[in-house]
Amino acid sequence: MNRTRNRPELGWDWGHTWSTVEVNRQPVSTLLSSVFGGYRFTLPKLQLQRGTAYVGAASRLRRLVKELLLPHSQKTNFKVAVIGGSISWGQFTSKRGQTDWFSTFTRWMISAFPRANITGRNGCTPGVPTPYMIMCLELSLDPDVDLVIMEYTLNDGLDPVLFGNRVVQDMERLVRRVLALPSRPAVVLLQVPSFGMAGYRGGHPKNNKNPADAFAHFYETSEDAQVAISQYYDVSYLSLRTALYRLAAQKATPGFLWEDTFVDHHPGDHGHKVMADLMVHLVQRTAVGLLLEPFGAPDAEAITEPLPEPMYDGNTAPNATMCLVGDAFRSHLVSAQGFDWVNEGSTAKPKPGYVATQPGSKLRLRVDTDRSGLGSAPGERVALYLHHLRSYEHMGAAALRCVSGCNCSEVRVDAHISERVSQVYLVKMEVSQSAACEVEVEVLRDSRSGEHKFKVSGLVVAERAGGPSAAIEQISGDNKSFGLRQHNGDDEQMVIAKGGQPGKAGGVHRHNHRRTGRRRRRSSRRRRRS
């Protein structure tokens, strides 16, 4: 939208600020010329500092910036990623993959650290809360990622309880999952205003609707409770709320009013530029800190330390993949009679799955549904969601049942629908807990289409026992079409392609940088799922 367009007239840079500061008789502006050159901030300096709500020791981030500045033979390739909701995905930006904050930040990283090969991956999924990413982290993050930025304040909603806060407990488990990745990545929490905060209270001239639109005060957010996570796990925390609130709500500064930066509860291009400013400033600040206090043994020791016990007793994060698609799904095959692994899409847009066309075909899968290690009572059942295709032609019906290691009630699925579309649906089975639960899919003779095709493309096992997965039910649910179009390749968004021009890609997009001699090459990679 035009009112939330980028505002280059507000831009400023550090100029000669760092030329007067010397380390070992060399100006900081010379030592960090690529880091401080070429980026123009939109957010004023004081608000940059206010929005940098918690830095901490930041040992993992310090290690990353050190290695980016001076990559060695063992470490030249780096991966930067964001997970979150529709804001960081780029909804309401004019060009996703170009004007969203993560794309802006990634382009700056590429220019700021020319000696490093940097890949940026946007693994966000609009509309999903933290519990979904706890289950499906591997669909959005590579295990060797170096920096993960997390943005979930809006999607997670509010819990007014200070102690035992549901949002904080969910976020703690996700932070633990990310920190425990093999690469021991740096983690940054990027918090955004909660619903109703980026607006005006009822009775304000700019909110004269009757009844007045929802309005949230400065304190009506989960981010203040989540600062305990930042301090407990030493992960930095940036606040878009704090960065903008004084300018928008208190001083009514032209160019920084809520309507200048937000479309609704989503930032526009101008708001995304402010988010990029916060991340750039954090990395620049870290680089200066390394000059003043070099990375040392205490930092290295902090990185290698095992994670502490959960802040909330028993709030253990799962240590296994619970969203199984593609090769991860195939690894759980026990047997296939009449089912074949088929890619019904293309190389660019794959849609793989096990497909059968004859009645009596059987597919057997083995999964771990034991949740006793996460505090679930042994007798509680676990929700298992099977991905299957439904279409208006060729489709038949199937029976789903437990056959070994666990028990459940049989579920029957009719994959024929009247609407002229082909979509992935979820069907829920409630199974007993077992480390080796085997479920079977059998194609039935009954068929409303007259044919018997049945396709199974993945499954999701709920994080905890005791009922359906709140995260899955929120985004799709039993007997409903699967809503994650960004993960199954049905959606498109912009990426930075070769030469810096926008191109099309599946919902998860990456920005790559490769340097050979003096030549630069940018390419795009993507990962999709059916």
Side-chain angles (χ1 to χ4, degrees), residues 269-305:
D269 287 355
H270 187 27
H272 274 261
K273 178 57 169 58
V274 170
M275 295 173 73
D277 285 356
L278 291 170
M279 275 304 306
V280 170
H281 178 248
L282 177 64
V283 175
Q284 288 180 338
R285 178 173 177 165
T286 303
V288 172
L290 286 168
L291 294 180
L292 302 177
E293 297 179 272
F295 185 91
D299 290 300
E301 182 180 348
I303 292 170
T304 57
E305 287 177 352

Side-chain angles (χ1 to χ4, degrees), residues 26-42:
Q26 294 187 69
V28 170
S29 60
T30 300
L31 293 170
L32 299 175
S33 58
S34 62
V35 175
F36 283 103
Y39 188 85
R40 291 182 63 79
F41 288 94
T42 296

Side-chain angles (χ1 to χ4, degrees), residues 23 56 76 113 116 141 171 235 238 311 314 318 414 456 467-468 523 526:
V23 175
T76 57
F113 302 102
L141 285 185
M171 182 55 68
V235 297
L238 305 175
M311 185 172 66
D414 186 350
V456 182
S523 61
R526 55 214 183 251

Side-chain angles (χ1 to χ4, degrees), residues 97 118 142 162 167 170-171 195 226 230 232 260 307 310 342 371 380 399 406 413 416 419 424 444 450 498 508 513:
I118 296 174
D142 297 321
L162 180 59
V167 175
D170 289 344
M171 182 55 68
F195 183 82
Q226 289 188 55
S230 294
Y232 191 79
D260 296 330
L307 289 180
V342 179
R371 295 294 180 264
E380 292 182 313
C406 56
V413 177
H416 176 76
E419 186 181 2
V424 174
L444 302 175
K498 185 176 181 180
V508 175
H513 173 243

Side-chain angles (χ1 to χ4, degrees), residues 375-396:
S376 297
E380 292 182 313
R381 291 187 172 268
V382 177
L384 186 154
Y385 298 83
L386 196 74
H387 299 204
H388 64 285
L389 179 69
R390 294 189 188 182
S391 184
Y392 60 95
E393 58 181 356
H394 309 307
M395 306 305 292

Side-chain angles (χ1 to χ4, degrees), residues 168-180:
V168 175
Q169 292 185 62
D170 289 344
M171 182 55 68
E172 181 185 22
R173 297 199 305 282
L174 181 57
V175 167
R176 290 183 67 89
R177 282 216 75 190
V178 176
L179 289 174

